[in-house]
Amino acid sequence: MQNTGTRNPATTPTHCPYCALQCGMNLTPVEGGTVEVSERADFPVNRGALCGKGRTAAAVLAPGARLTSPLVRSGDGALVPAGWDEALDRIAGNLERTRARYGADALGVFGGGGLTNEKAYALGKFARVVLGTSQIDYNGRFCMSSAAAAGTRAFGLDRGLPFPLADVPRTGCVILVGSNPAETMPPSLRYFTELRENGGTLIVVDPRRTRTAEQADLHLAPRPGTDLALALGMLHLVVAEGRVDEEYVEERTSGWEEARAAAMAHWPEYVERITGVSVPELREAVRLFCAPEAAMVLTARGPEQQAKGTDTVGAWINLCLATGRAGRPLSGYGCLTGQGNGQGGREHGQKADQLPGYRKLTDPAARQHVAEVWGVDPDALPGPGRSAYELLDALGTDVRSLLVMGSNPVVSAPRAAHVEGRLRSLDFLAVCDVVLSETAELADVVLPVTQWAEETGTTTSLEGRVLLRRRAITPPDGVRGDLEVLHGLAGRLGVEKGFPTDPEEVFEELRRASAGGPADYSGIDYRRLAEENGVFWPCPAQPAADDTHTAATGTGTGTGPGPGRDTRTGTGTATGSGSTGTDSDSDSDAGVGTGLRAAPHPGTPRLFLDRFATDDGRARFVPVTHRPSAEEPDDEYPVLLTTGRVVSQYQSGAQTRRVAELNAAAPGPFVELHPRLAARLGAAEGDPLAVVSRRGRAVAPARITTGIRPDTVFMPFHWPGEGRANTLTNPALDPTSRMPEFKVCAVRVETVTSWRRHPLLP
């Protein structure tokens, strides 16, 4: 829908509920309790552009598409409407009985990367303070945990992109590894188009010739699971061809000799045999990457969702470091976060091993700081719990009752049939969701909660830009916010204070809890977010105005006292930051002494320009070597399966599958395969195919294309039932990030003689 340029006074500027671009949009209430979506050209990331999911986001607000009453499981097994008091009483009573019988760690909490920062913060606090359980994690573990682990290991800090997207068109070369933004976040494709228009080059690494790969100057199509070898082969050539930035390596890094030795074991011909990428293609990729003064590597789920994902991302980071392409203007490594609040969702406490501010749960100082904000004894805080898949795998045995908020693991988890069985085995399951998802259908109690347009809260985009989503309409009767749910449950479980329902009040507490942590939000408030179109973290609260820093004028970026702080002065927005530590948890405009107020910290659009967030300010090379995937093809399972998304559906599809326009464009699952494989099977376009792994069987129609490797098939993962791709995927975990190996497993493909076609398929 086009924006006429005349602003309706009832129009609310806000952000899309879907991917991590968090595109700006305007919402105007219309009859029927929903809104009209229009362009919002003032937001710099999407500049008015919206994909089909964003344009149709209001459809899920309609009463027929969403839940409007709590549901409880009746004596005959059906889910029936109930009042809020009955539903909350039933949840609290079951959680209390489970804890009394089995202990606090028999209670589990599973969150989501789409929850606002306020909800993620409150959920983590609820688990640890009210329930006293360590068993909390979230579906963001399935998103970019490997990139987070590798970034922290190399740079001392994880933020999806350490620079704004606006830098991408201004660099000289981008290597895009395992990402298809043309379909996963379409408004971002313009940045790569503009890169090429400006004379830069785009290299896409993907086993499929995706819509994004079609735009590339060079497309490398490695065998799934071999991205690590590919990066090492390129680093080998960088060394062999004398392209290492020796001065940079000497001045700004450590560990180079060990990493160089590991890379030199991956000579080009060896890498060609592993990956299927030819030596001339490898050499051309190195030439294109090293030719310009500045370049970037951006990864996504392709290399990350592997049982060696942390090492794989680490190898691409090593390539950046060896060529001096990190911590310099218009250069660096970045991760394209997937979920809407995938970045903020893991920063503030719903991850198994973390406390708010991206603090480590095992750090005594972090525990002390957060416990003081929460008003509890730090010794009372539980330690780290199970990661997402491990938590789901423990359901019904060690974990007996589960609260799910904003996630649909029946469709999204690896080895999904097994996870569904684990959910069914629970003593008690409660789900908070907007729609009756496949997971909610299994619950004992389902709570209908507010959506993006019906609530205010913050999210953090893939750039590390904290944003304010604003409430545009009143939710239907019978629907409450997640913060109200946690408030009601906390009170019933004996904690009367500490769980406010006002999101701004929660955010003010989050600011204090994050102060001094790596993800420091203490200098951010709702007013700034509204006025500035978002603020990049770290943004610590500034010291008093008589301090030497003068960040408001753009001439200072001091982050206050703290380990590894950056004290340089800079200009414009090219502000660098090392560690984000600050000892101040005062409000950003508080004055002392003379009564003057400190100028607010401007935020940090660009990280690492002066030093990295490690103790000595140096980036760390990590020596890594190629190893096979957890499951390689054999005679019984000779083909590789990889999974991903399509442009008109999102994640588990729980919301987008309720939008008619999106279903018309992408009505159901399919199996993408090469003509040579189709010929061997005797399969034609549209024929039903069964894809079988060691974990189960999925059936979907064939889609035949030369844009995929002959040894590989692809399935999108948005659908439940017979075509559920995650029935097949392997839960083998990365030893560091605990990321499952979604992106590669061994399968066989069979023709199917009897099959009921999906009713929406042509």
Side-chain angles (χ1 to χ4, degrees):
M1 185 168 299
Q2 296 297 313
N3 189 343
T4 63
T6 301
R7 178 78 170 273
N8 186 322
T11 295
T12 301
T14 189
H15 296 273
C16 180
Y18 290 116
C19 82
L21 283 182
Q22 288 296 279
C23 292
M25 58 171 55
N26 289 318
L27 303 181
T28 305
V30 296
E31 290 185 15
T34 185
V35 294
E36 180 179 84
V37 176
S38 58
E39 295 177 359
R40 180 183 165 196
D42 70 314
F43 187 61
V45 174
N46 63 307
R47 290 175 270 170
L50 293 171
C51 73
K53 295 185 290 291
R55 286 188 297 99
T56 61
V60 188
L61 296 166
R66 51 95 58 84
L67 295 168
T68 56
S69 171
L71 304 173
V72 299
R73 189 74 60 182
S74 66
D76 64 3
L79 282 172
V80 298
W84 271 93
D85 284 340
E86 178 186 353
L88 291 172
D89 287 346
R90 189 177 292 202
I91 296 173
N94 277 280
L95 294 177
E96 188 57 64
R97 283 190 290 274
T98 297
R99 182 167 59 182
R101 183 172 182 182
Y102 299 106
D105 274 358
L107 303 176
V109 177
F110 199 83
L115 300 179
T116 63
N117 290 318
E118 292 81 358
K119 294 178 186 180
Y121 172 83
L123 188 63
K125 181 181 178 182
F126 176 83
R128 295 180 174 104
V129 172
V130 178
L131 301 182
T133 183
S134 66
Q135 300 303 301
I136 175 172
D137 209 65
Y138 79 126
N139 63 17
R141 176 77 65 172
F142 301 155
C143 180
M144 54 179 293
S145 57
S146 293
T152 301
R153 193 164 68 177
F155 306 131
L157 180 69
D158 155 51
R159 194 180 84 185
L161 293 181
F163 40 73
L165 273 169
D167 285 358
V168 170
R170 300 166 57 208
T171 192
C173 177
V174 172
I175 303 180
L176 196 58
V177 189
S179 178
N180 182 17
E183 299 203 54
T184 59
M185 45 182 67
S188 71
L189 191 64
R190 68 169 58 183
Y191 290 100
F192 302 101
T193 301
E194 290 170 6
L195 164 73
R196 300 185 69 214
E197 290 173 349
N198 292 340
T201 55
L202 176 64
I203 302 171
V204 171
V205 179
D206 199 305
R208 303 168 62 223
R209 188 163 182 80
T210 63
R211 295 183 188 180
T212 305
E214 289 173 353
Q215 308 299 314
D217 297 281
L218 177 64
H219 173 214
L220 306 179
R223 182 175 178 266
T226 65
D227 307 270
L228 174 53
L230 181 68
L232 287 165
M234 290 182 65
L235 183 53
H236 177 110
L237 286 171
V238 165
V239 176
E241 295 175 0
R243 299 181 185 270
V244 175
D245 188 332
E246 302 285 357
E247 182 178 354
Y248 173 92
V249 168
E250 175 67 25
E251 292 180 354
R252 299 203 59 189
T253 73
S254 64
W256 167 234
E257 289 304 317
E258 295 83 357
R260 184 187 66 79
M264 296 314 288
H266 298 76
W267 58 95
E269 291 77 12
Y270 172 59
V271 169
E272 181 182 71
R273 290 199 301 272
I274 294 170
T275 65
V277 176
S278 70
V279 173
E281 288 176 313
L282 281 172
R283 293 188 184 279
E284 178 65 2
V286 170
R287 185 190 70 79
L288 292 174
F289 184 66
C290 294
E293 183 177 347
M296 300 173 178
V297 172
L298 305 178
T299 68
R301 306 301 81 75
E304 298 163 18
Q305 287 182 327
Q306 299 182 30
K308 52 181 182 292
T310 301
D311 284 355
T312 300
V313 173
W316 290 104
I317 290 174
N318 286 350
L319 179 67
C320 289
L321 294 177
T323 54
R325 308 307 177 87
R328 283 178 167 172
L330 306 181
S331 287
Y333 163 77
C335 167
L336 298 178
T337 314
Q339 294 192 77
N341 197 30
Q343 182 68 52
R346 70 181 181 279
E347 293 170 2
H348 298 301
Q350 66 172 332
K351 196 174 178 184
D353 54 354
Q354 286 177 347
L355 287 170
Y358 224 152
R359 289 179 160 92
K360 293 182 179 179
L361 191 53
T362 53
D363 178 1
R367 294 170 66 88
Q368 179 69 38
H369 174 87
V370 174
E372 287 179 1
V373 174
W374 288 352
V376 299
D377 184 341
D379 292 336
L381 296 177
R386 293 176 173 89
S387 70
Y389 178 76
E390 292 166 304
L391 173 57
L392 295 171
D393 190 41
L395 300 181
T397 53
D398 295 333
V399 177
R400 309 300 294 254
S401 292
L402 182 69
L403 172 64
V404 176
M405 189 172 281
S407 187
N408 188 19
V410 166
V411 179
S412 63
R415 198 186 174 195
H418 171 74
V419 168
E420 181 178 345
R422 294 288 83 215
L423 286 160
R424 292 181 183 276
S425 73
L426 283 163
D427 295 348
F428 181 77
L429 172 63
V431 174
C432 303
D433 211 331
V434 169
V435 298
L436 190 64
S437 69
E438 287 72 25
T439 302
E441 289 176 351
L442 305 181
D444 298 287
V445 179
V446 182
L447 300 180
V449 292
T450 51
Q451 300 187 57
W452 57 290
E454 302 163 347
E455 61 186 11
T456 294
T458 63
T459 62
T460 306
S461 74
L462 77 170
E463 302 177 299
R465 188 195 302 251
V466 185
L467 301 165
L468 182 63
R469 283 192 196 159
R470 300 168 175 88
R471 174 171 167 157
I473 55 173
T474 301
D477 292 339
V479 174
R480 296 184 183 179
D482 294 287
L483 295 178
E484 294 178 271
V485 170
L486 296 176
H487 173 84
L489 291 176
R492 285 167 170 79
L493 291 167
V495 180
E496 300 292 340
K497 296 182 179 180
F499 290 88
T501 60
D502 175 34
E504 187 168 9
E505 187 176 347
V506 176
F507 189 79
E508 288 301 302
E509 183 178 303
L510 182 157
R511 292 175 62 194
R512 299 194 303 273
S514 74
D520 191 333
Y521 285 28
S522 61
I524 304 173
D525 58 29
Y526 273 27
R527 176 191 59 77
R528 286 193 66 183
L529 295 178
E531 292 176 355
E532 300 177 30
N533 249 338
V535 178
F536 292 87
W537 72 259
C539 184
Q542 286 290 73
D546 59 356
D547 194 291
T548 57
H549 301 302
T550 55
T553 65
T555 59
T557 60
T559 60
R565 67 186 182 277
D566 175 26
T567 57
R568 85 173 180 104
T569 56
T571 58
T573 58
T575 54
S577 178
S579 171
T580 61
T582 174
D583 293 336
S584 171
D585 61 1
S586 60
D587 196 74
S588 62
D589 63 357
V592 297
T594 64
L596 297 176
R597 294 189 172 189
H601 190 287
T604 315
R606 297 171 181 86
L607 297 170
F608 313 138
L609 293 184
D610 295 296
R611 67 193 316 276
F612 295 96
T614 55
D615 290 342
D616 60 5
R618 291 173 173 266
R620 307 276 190 258
F621 280 100
V622 178
V624 294
T625 58
H626 171 73
R627 58 185 185 273
S629 298
E631 193 173 79
E632 291 288 329
D634 56 21
D635 291 343
E636 187 176 3
Y637 301 97
V639 177
L640 291 169
L641 168 70
T642 192
T643 64
R645 288 169 49 186
V646 297
V647 67
S648 293
Q649 299 289 351
Y650 180 72
Q651 304 298 73
S652 75
Q655 295 184 49
T656 51
R657 285 187 275 111
R658 287 164 170 80
V659 179
E661 180 180 329
L662 300 179
N663 278 335
F670 56 86
V671 181
E672 186 177 279
L673 72 164
H674 192 275
R676 280 172 22 202
L677 178 56
R680 289 205 303 270
L681 295 168
E685 181 77 14
D687 284 354
L689 294 177
V691 182
V692 184
S693 78
R694 290 175 173 86
R695 289 153 295 281
R697 180 177 188 266
V699 179
R703 182 173 294 182
I704 301 172
T705 173
T706 57
I708 191 169
R709 292 174 54 96
D711 58 2
T712 300
V713 295
F714 166 84
M715 290 188 71
F717 55 68
H718 310 291
W719 289 273
E722 194 175 28
R724 180 174 58 187
N726 277 321
T727 296
L728 309 169
T729 49
N730 191 351
L733 300 180
D734 181 288
T736 302
S737 68
R738 315 309 288 167
M739 167 72 84
E741 191 154 74
F742 286 98
K743 277 296 182 279
V744 55
C745 69
V747 298
R748 66 173 180 268
V749 185
E750 303 169 342
T751 56
V752 177
T753 56
S754 177
W755 181 62
R756 186 168 61 87
R757 197 174 191 80
H758 192 286
L760 292 178
L761 288 172

